[in-house]
Coordinates of all heavy atoms in Angstrom, one line a residue:
T1 N 0.8 -1.2 0.0 CA 0.0 0.0 0.0 C 0.9 1.2 0.0 O 2.1 1.2 0.3 CB -0.9 0.0 1.2 OG1 -0.1 0.2 2.4 CG2 -1.8 -1.2 1.3
S2 N 0.3 2.3 -0.3 CA 1.0 3.6 -0.3 C 1.5 4.0 1.0 O 2.6 4.5 1.2 CB 0.1 4.7 -0.9 OG 0.7 5.9 -0.9
S3 N 0.7 3.8 2.1 CA 1.1 4.1 3.4 C 2.3 3.3 3.8 O 3.3 3.8 4.5 CB 0.0 4.0 4.4 OG -0.4 2.6 4.5
Q4 N 2.4 2.1 3.4 CA 3.5 1.2 3.7 C 4.8 1.7 3.0 O 5.9 1.7 3.6 CB 3.3 -0.2 3.3 CG 4.4 -1.2 3.6 CD 4.7 -1.4 5.0 OE1 3.9 -1.3 5.9 NE2 6.0 -1.8 5.3
T5 N 4.6 2.2 1.8 CA 5.8 2.8 1.1 C 6.3 4.0 1.8 O 7.5 4.2 2.0 CB 5.4 3.1 -0.3 OG1 4.9 1.9 -1.0 CG2 6.5 3.7 -1.1
W6 N 5.4 4.9 2.3 CA 5.8 6.1 3.0 C 6.5 5.7 4.3 O 7.5 6.3 4.7 CB 4.6 7.0 3.3 CG 4.1 7.7 2.2 CD1 2.8 7.6 1.6 CD2 4.7 8.7 1.4 NE1 2.7 8.5 0.6 CE2 3.8 9.2 0.4 CE3 6.0 9.3 1.5 CZ2 4.2 10.2 -0.5 CZ3 6.3 10.3 0.5 CH2 5.4 10.7 -0.4
Y7 N 6.0 4.7 5.0 CA 6.6 4.2 6.2 C 8.1 3.7 5.9 O 9.0 4.1 6.7 CB 5.8 3.1 6.8 CG 6.4 2.2 7.8 CD1 6.6 2.8 9.1 CD2 6.8 0.9 7.6 CE1 7.2 2.0 10.1 CE2 7.4 0.2 8.6 CZ 7.6 0.7 9.9 OH 8.1 -0.1 10.8
V8 N 8.3 2.9 4.9 CA 9.6 2.4 4.6 C 10.5 3.6 4.2 O 11.7 3.7 4.6 CB 9.6 1.3 3.5 CG1 11.0 1.0 3.0 CG2 8.8 0.1 4.0
L9 N 10.0 4.5 3.4 CA 10.8 5.7 3.0 C 11.2 6.5 4.3 O 12.4 7.0 4.3 CB 10.0 6.6 2.1 CG 10.0 6.2 0.6 CD1 9.1 7.0 -0.2 CD2 11.4 6.2 0.0
S10 N 10.3 6.6 5.2 CA 10.7 7.3 6.4 C 11.9 6.7 7.1 O 12.8 7.3 7.6 CB 9.5 7.4 7.4 OG 9.9 8.1 8.6
Q11 N 11.8 5.4 7.2 CA 12.9 4.6 7.9 C 14.2 4.8 7.1 O 15.3 5.1 7.7 CB 12.6 3.1 7.9 CG 11.5 2.8 8.9 CD 11.2 1.3 8.9 OE1 11.0 0.7 7.8 NE2 11.1 0.7 10.1
I12 N 14.2 4.8 5.8 CA 15.4 4.9 5.0 C 15.9 6.3 5.2 O 17.1 6.5 5.4 CB 15.1 4.7 3.5 CG1 14.8 3.2 3.3 CG2 16.2 5.1 2.6 CD1 14.2 2.8 2.0
H13 N 15.1 7.4 5.1 CA 15.5 8.7 5.3 C 16.1 9.0 6.7 O 17.1 9.6 6.8 CB 14.4 9.7 5.0 CG 14.0 9.9 3.6 ND1 14.9 10.2 2.6 CD2 12.8 9.8 3.0 CE1 14.3 10.2 1.4 NE2 13.0 10.0 1.6
R14 N 15.4 8.4 7.7 CA 15.9 8.6 9.1 C 17.3 8.0 9.2 O 18.2 8.6 9.8 CB 14.9 8.0 10.1 CG 15.3 8.2 11.5 CD 14.3 7.7 12.5 NE 13.7 6.4 12.2 CZ 14.3 5.2 12.5 NH1 15.5 5.2 13.1 NH2 13.7 4.1 12.2
L15 N 17.4 6.8 8.8 CA 18.7 6.1 8.9 C 19.8 6.8 8.1 O 21.0 6.7 8.5 CB 18.6 4.6 8.5 CG 17.7 3.8 9.5 CD1 17.5 2.4 8.9 CD2 18.3 3.7 10.9
A16 N 19.5 7.4 7.0 CA 20.4 8.2 6.2 C 20.7 9.6 6.8 O 21.6 10.3 6.3 CB 19.9 8.3 4.8
G17 N 19.9 9.9 7.8 CA 20.2 11.2 8.5 C 19.4 12.4 7.9 O 19.6 13.5 8.3
D18 N 18.5 12.1 7.0 CA 17.6 13.2 6.4 C 16.3 13.2 7.2 O 15.3 12.7 6.8 CB 17.4 12.9 4.9 CG 16.7 14.1 4.2 OD1 16.2 15.0 4.9 OD2 16.6 14.1 3.0
L19 N 16.3 13.9 8.3 CA 15.2 13.9 9.2 C 14.0 14.6 8.7 O 12.9 14.2 8.9 CB 15.6 14.4 10.6 CG 16.7 13.6 11.3 CD1 16.9 14.2 12.7 CD2 16.3 12.1 11.4
D20 N 14.2 15.7 7.9 CA 13.1 16.4 7.4 C 12.3 15.5 6.4 O 11.1 15.5 6.4 CB 13.5 17.7 6.7 CG 14.0 18.7 7.8 OD1 13.6 18.6 8.9 OD2 14.8 19.6 7.4
A21 N 13.0 14.8 5.5 CA 12.4 13.9 4.6 C 11.7 12.7 5.3 O 10.6 12.3 4.9 CB 13.4 13.4 3.6
A22 N 12.3 12.2 6.4 CA 11.7 11.2 7.2 C 10.4 11.7 7.8 O 9.4 11.0 7.8 CB 12.7 10.7 8.3
H23 N 10.5 12.9 8.3 CA 9.3 13.5 9.0 C 8.2 13.6 8.0 O 7.0 13.2 8.2 CB 9.7 14.8 9.5 CG 8.6 15.4 10.4 ND1 8.7 16.8 10.8 CD2 7.5 15.0 11.0 CE1 7.6 17.0 11.5 NE2 6.9 16.0 11.6
Q24 N 8.4 14.1 6.8 CA 7.4 14.2 5.8 C 6.8 12.9 5.4 O 5.6 12.7 5.2 CB 8.0 15.0 4.5 CG 8.2 16.4 4.8 CD 8.9 17.1 3.6 OE1 9.6 16.5 2.8 NE2 8.6 18.4 3.4
A25 N 7.7 11.9 5.2 CA 7.3 10.6 4.8 C 6.4 9.9 5.8 O 5.3 9.4 5.5 CB 8.5 9.7 4.5
I26 N 6.8 10.0 7.1 CA 5.9 9.3 8.1 C 4.6 10.0 8.3 O 3.6 9.4 8.6 CB 6.7 9.1 9.4 CG1 6.0 8.0 10.3 CG2 6.9 10.4 10.2 CD1 5.8 6.7 9.6
R27 N 4.6 11.3 8.1 CA 3.4 12.1 8.2 C 2.4 11.7 7.1 O 1.2 11.6 7.3 CB 3.6 13.6 8.1 CG 4.4 14.2 9.3 CD 3.5 14.2 10.6 NE 2.4 15.0 10.4 CZ 1.2 14.7 10.9 NH1 1.0 13.6 11.6 NH2 0.1 15.5 10.7
S28 N 3.0 11.4 5.9 CA 2.2 10.9 4.8 C 1.6 9.5 5.1 O 0.4 9.3 4.8 CB 3.0 10.9 3.5 OG 3.4 12.2 3.1
A29 N 2.4 8.7 5.7 CA 1.9 7.3 6.1 C 0.8 7.5 7.1 O -0.3 6.8 6.9 CB 3.1 6.5 6.6
L30 N 1.0 8.3 8.1 CA -0.1 8.5 9.1 C -1.3 9.1 8.6 O -2.4 8.8 9.0 CB 0.5 9.3 10.3 CG 1.5 8.6 11.2 CD1 2.2 9.5 12.0 CD2 0.7 7.5 12.0
A31 N -1.2 10.0 7.6 CA -2.4 10.6 7.0 C -3.2 9.5 6.3 O -4.5 9.6 6.2 CB -1.9 11.7 6.0
E32 N -2.6 8.5 5.8 CA -3.3 7.4 5.1 C -3.8 6.3 6.0 O -4.8 5.7 5.8 CB -2.4 6.8 4.0 CG -2.2 7.8 2.9 CD -1.4 7.1 1.7 OE1 -1.3 5.9 1.6 OE2 -0.8 7.9 0.9
D33 N -3.1 6.1 7.1 CA -3.4 5.0 8.1 C -3.0 5.4 9.5 O -1.9 5.0 9.9 CB -2.8 3.7 7.6 CG -3.3 2.5 8.5 OD1 -4.1 2.7 9.4 OD2 -2.8 1.4 8.2
S34 N -3.8 6.1 10.2 CA -3.4 6.6 11.5 C -3.6 5.5 12.6 O -3.2 5.7 13.7 CB -4.1 7.8 11.9 OG -5.5 7.5 12.0
A35 N -4.1 4.3 12.2 CA -4.3 3.3 13.2 C -3.1 2.3 13.2 O -3.1 1.5 14.1 CB -5.6 2.5 12.8
A36 N -2.1 2.5 12.4 CA -1.0 1.6 12.3 C 0.0 1.9 13.4 O 0.7 3.0 13.4 CB -0.3 1.6 11.0
Q37 N 0.1 1.1 14.4 CA 1.0 1.3 15.6 C 2.4 1.5 15.2 O 3.1 2.4 15.7 CB 0.9 0.2 16.6 CG 1.7 0.4 17.8 CD 1.3 1.5 18.7 OE1 0.1 1.7 18.9 NE2 2.2 2.3 19.3
R38 N 2.9 0.7 14.2 CA 4.3 0.8 13.8 C 4.6 2.2 13.2 O 5.7 2.7 13.2 CB 4.7 -0.3 12.9 CG 4.0 -0.3 11.5 CD 4.4 -1.5 10.7 NE 3.8 -1.5 9.4 CZ 2.5 -1.9 9.2 NH1 1.7 -2.2 10.2 NH2 2.0 -1.8 8.0
Y39 N 3.6 2.9 12.6 CA 3.8 4.2 12.0 C 4.1 5.2 13.1 O 4.9 6.1 13.0 CB 2.6 4.7 11.2 CG 2.4 3.8 9.9 CD1 1.3 4.1 9.1 CD2 3.2 2.8 9.5 CE1 1.0 3.3 8.0 CE2 3.0 2.0 8.4 CZ 1.9 2.3 7.6 OH 1.6 1.6 6.5
W40 N 3.3 5.1 14.2 CA 3.5 6.0 15.4 C 4.8 5.7 16.0 O 5.5 6.6 16.5 CB 2.3 5.8 16.4 CG 1.1 6.4 15.8 CD1 0.0 5.7 15.4 CD2 0.7 7.8 15.7 NE1 -1.0 6.5 14.9 CE2 -0.5 7.8 15.1 CE3 1.4 8.9 16.0 CZ2 -1.2 9.0 14.8 CZ3 0.8 10.2 15.7 CH2 -0.5 10.2 15.1
T41 N 5.3 4.4 16.0 CA 6.6 4.1 16.6 C 7.7 4.8 15.7 O 8.6 5.3 16.3 CB 6.8 2.6 16.7 OG1 5.7 2.0 17.5 CG2 8.1 2.2 17.2
E42 N 7.5 4.7 14.4 CA 8.5 5.3 13.6 C 8.5 6.8 13.8 O 9.6 7.5 13.8 CB 8.2 5.0 12.1 CG 9.0 5.8 11.1 CD 10.5 5.6 11.1 OE1 11.0 4.6 11.8 OE2 11.2 6.4 10.5
Y43 N 7.3 7.4 14.0 CA 7.2 8.9 14.2 C 8.0 9.2 15.5 O 8.7 10.2 15.5 CB 5.7 9.3 14.3 CG 5.5 10.7 14.1 CD1 6.3 11.5 13.3 CD2 4.3 11.3 14.7 CE1 6.0 12.9 13.1 CE2 4.0 12.6 14.5 CZ 4.8 13.4 13.7 OH 4.6 14.7 13.5
C44 N 7.8 8.4 16.5 CA 8.6 8.6 17.8 C 10.1 8.5 17.5 O 10.9 9.3 18.1 CB 8.2 7.6 18.8 SG 6.7 8.0 19.7
D45 N 10.5 7.5 16.7 CA 11.9 7.4 16.3 C 12.5 8.6 15.6 O 13.6 9.0 15.8 CB 12.1 6.1 15.5 CG 11.9 4.8 16.2 OD1 11.9 4.9 17.5 OD2 11.8 3.8 15.6
V46 N 11.6 9.2 14.7 CA 12.0 10.5 14.1 C 12.2 11.6 15.1 O 13.2 12.3 15.1 CB 11.0 10.9 13.0 CG1 11.3 12.3 12.5 CG2 11.0 9.9 11.8
G47 N 11.3 11.6 16.1 CA 11.4 12.6 17.2 C 12.7 12.4 18.0 O 13.4 13.3 18.3
A48 N 13.0 11.1 18.3 CA 14.2 10.8 19.1 C 15.4 11.2 18.3 O 16.4 11.7 18.9 CB 14.2 9.3 19.4
S49 N 15.4 11.0 17.0 CA 16.5 11.4 16.1 C 16.7 12.9 16.1 O 17.9 13.4 16.2 CB 16.4 10.9 14.7 OG 16.4 9.5 14.7
Y50 N 15.6 13.7 16.1 CA 15.7 15.1 16.2 C 16.3 15.5 17.5 O 17.2 16.4 17.6 CB 14.3 15.8 16.0 CG 13.9 16.1 14.6 CD1 12.7 15.6 14.2 CD2 14.6 16.9 13.8 CE1 12.2 15.9 12.9 CE2 14.2 17.2 12.5 CZ 13.0 16.7 12.1 OH 12.5 17.0 10.8
H51 N 15.8 14.9 18.6 CA 16.3 15.1 19.9 C 17.8 14.9 20.1 O 18.5 15.7 20.6 CB 15.5 14.3 20.9 CG 15.8 14.7 22.4 ND1 16.0 13.7 23.3 CD2 15.9 15.9 23.0 CE1 16.2 14.3 24.5 NE2 16.2 15.6 24.3
A52 N 18.2 13.8 19.5 CA 19.7 13.4 19.5 C 20.5 14.5 18.8 O 21.7 14.7 19.2 CB 19.9 12.0 18.9
R53 N 20.0 15.1 17.9 CA 20.7 16.2 17.1 C 20.6 17.5 17.8 O 21.1 18.5 17.3 CB 20.1 16.3 15.7 CG 20.6 15.2 14.8 CD 20.4 15.7 13.4 NE 20.8 14.6 12.5 CZ 20.5 14.6 11.2 NH1 19.8 15.6 10.7 NH2 20.9 13.6 10.4
G54 N 19.8 17.6 18.9 CA 19.7 18.9 19.6 C 18.5 19.7 19.1 O 18.3 20.8 19.5
A55 N 17.7 19.1 18.2 CA 16.5 19.8 17.7 C 15.3 19.6 18.6 O 14.4 18.9 18.2 CB 16.3 19.4 16.2
T56 N 15.4 20.1 19.8 CA 14.4 19.7 20.8 C 13.0 20.3 20.4 O 12.0 19.6 20.8 CB 14.8 20.2 22.2 OG1 15.1 21.6 22.1 CG2 16.0 19.5 22.7
D57 N 12.9 21.4 19.8 CA 11.6 21.9 19.4 C 10.8 20.9 18.5 O 9.7 20.6 18.7 CB 11.7 23.3 18.7 CG 12.0 24.4 19.7 OD1 11.9 24.2 20.9 OD2 12.5 25.4 19.3
Q58 N 11.5 20.4 17.5 CA 10.9 19.5 16.6 C 10.6 18.2 17.3 O 9.5 17.6 17.1 CB 11.9 19.1 15.4 CG 12.0 20.3 14.4 CD 13.3 21.1 14.7 OE1 13.7 21.3 15.9 NE2 13.8 21.7 13.7
A59 N 11.5 17.7 18.2 CA 11.2 16.5 18.9 C 10.0 16.6 19.8 O 9.1 15.8 19.8 CB 12.5 16.1 19.8
L60 N 9.9 17.8 20.5 CA 8.8 18.0 21.4 C 7.5 18.0 20.7 O 6.4 17.5 21.1 CB 9.0 19.2 22.3 CG 10.0 19.1 23.4 CD1 10.3 20.4 24.1 CD2 9.5 18.1 24.4
T61 N 7.5 18.7 19.5 CA 6.3 18.7 18.7 C 5.8 17.3 18.3 O 4.6 17.0 18.4 CB 6.5 19.6 17.4 OG1 6.9 20.9 17.8 CG2 5.3 19.6 16.5
I62 N 6.7 16.5 17.9 CA 6.4 15.1 17.6 C 5.9 14.4 18.8 O 4.8 13.7 18.7 CB 7.6 14.4 16.9 CG1 7.8 15.0 15.5 CG2 7.3 12.9 16.8 CD1 9.1 14.6 14.9
Y63 N 6.6 14.5 19.9 CA 6.2 13.7 21.1 C 4.8 14.1 21.5 O 4.0 13.3 21.9 CB 7.2 14.0 22.2 CG 8.6 13.4 22.0 CD1 9.7 14.0 22.6 CD2 8.8 12.3 21.2 CE1 10.9 13.5 22.4 CE2 10.1 11.8 20.9 CZ 11.1 12.4 21.5 OH 12.4 11.9 21.3
R64 N 4.5 15.4 21.5 CA 3.2 15.9 21.9 C 2.1 15.4 21.0 O 1.0 15.0 21.4 CB 3.1 17.4 21.9 CG 3.9 18.0 23.1 CD 3.8 19.5 23.1 NE 4.6 20.1 24.2 CZ 5.6 20.9 24.0 NH1 5.9 21.4 22.8 NH2 6.3 21.4 25.1
E65 N 2.4 15.4 19.7 CA 1.4 14.8 18.7 C 1.1 13.4 18.9 O 0.0 12.9 18.9 CB 1.9 15.1 17.3 CG 0.8 14.8 16.3 CD 1.2 15.2 14.9 OE1 2.1 16.0 14.7 OE2 0.5 14.8 14.0
V66 N 2.2 12.6 19.2 CA 2.0 11.2 19.5 C 1.2 11.0 20.8 O 0.3 10.1 20.8 CB 3.4 10.5 19.5 CG1 3.2 9.0 20.0 CG2 4.0 10.5 18.2
T67 N 1.5 11.7 21.8 CA 0.7 11.5 23.1 C -0.7 11.9 22.9 O -1.6 11.3 23.6 CB 1.4 12.2 24.2 OG1 1.6 13.6 24.0 CG2 2.8 11.6 24.6
R68 N -1.0 12.9 22.1 CA -2.4 13.2 21.8 C -3.1 12.1 21.1 O -4.3 11.8 21.3 CB -2.5 14.5 21.0 CG -2.4 15.8 21.9 CD -2.9 17.0 21.1 NE -2.2 17.2 19.9 CZ -1.1 17.9 19.7 NH1 -0.4 18.4 20.7 NH2 -0.5 18.0 18.5
A69 N -2.4 11.5 20.1 CA -3.0 10.5 19.3 C -3.1 9.2 20.0 O -4.1 8.4 19.8 CB -2.2 10.3 18.0
L70 N -2.2 8.9 20.9 CA -2.1 7.6 21.6 C -2.0 7.9 23.1 O -0.9 7.7 23.7 CB -0.9 6.8 21.1 CG -0.9 6.5 19.6 CD1 0.5 5.8 19.3 CD2 -2.0 5.6 19.2
P71 N -3.0 8.4 23.8 CA -2.9 8.8 25.2 C -2.6 7.7 26.1 O -2.1 7.9 27.2 CB -4.3 9.4 25.5 CG -5.2 8.8 24.5 CD -4.4 8.5 23.2
D72 N -2.9 6.4 25.8 CA -2.6 5.3 26.7 C -1.2 4.9 26.5 O -0.5 4.2 26.4 CB -3.6 4.2 26.5 CG -5.0 4.7 26.9 OD1 -5.1 5.5 27.7 OD2 -5.9 4.1 26.3

């Protein structure tokens, strides 16, 4: 599916260090299938990568969005 392709692209971009492209890709996957737990996990991984780079504003934005979407 298209959402699966976006998910895999996000992983590839994140591992290559292109966090902006990873962020865009995982947001596209979530727009198509927001019920997929692994997409939210990848989104958190993108946030953690931003955090590791010192981009705390981007990381906090992602973490807040995830906790709103998955409060439990």
Side-chain angles (χ1 to χ4, degrees):
T1 67
S2 178
S3 63
Q4 178 67 25
T5 301
W6 286 118
Y7 167 72
V8 171
L9 279 173
S10 177
Q11 292 179 313
I12 291 167
H13 287 306
R14 179 175 49 80
L15 293 172
D18 188 349
L19 298 183
D20 291 338
H23 189 194
Q24 290 176 331
I26 198 59
R27 293 290 299 139
S28 294
L30 286 165
E32 292 183 19
D33 184 3
S34 64
Q37 181 67 38
R38 68 185 179 280
Y39 296 176
W40 289 105
T41 301
E42 172 62 14
Y43 199 28
C44 281
D45 290 345
V46 171
S49 295
Y50 274 125
H51 188 224
R53 283 197 182 170
T56 54
D57 288 343
Q58 290 94 330
L60 286 172
T61 298
I62 290 171
Y63 296 152
R64 286 183 184 122
E65 189 171 346
V66 171
T67 56
R68 277 194 306 270
L70 306 172
D72 295 330

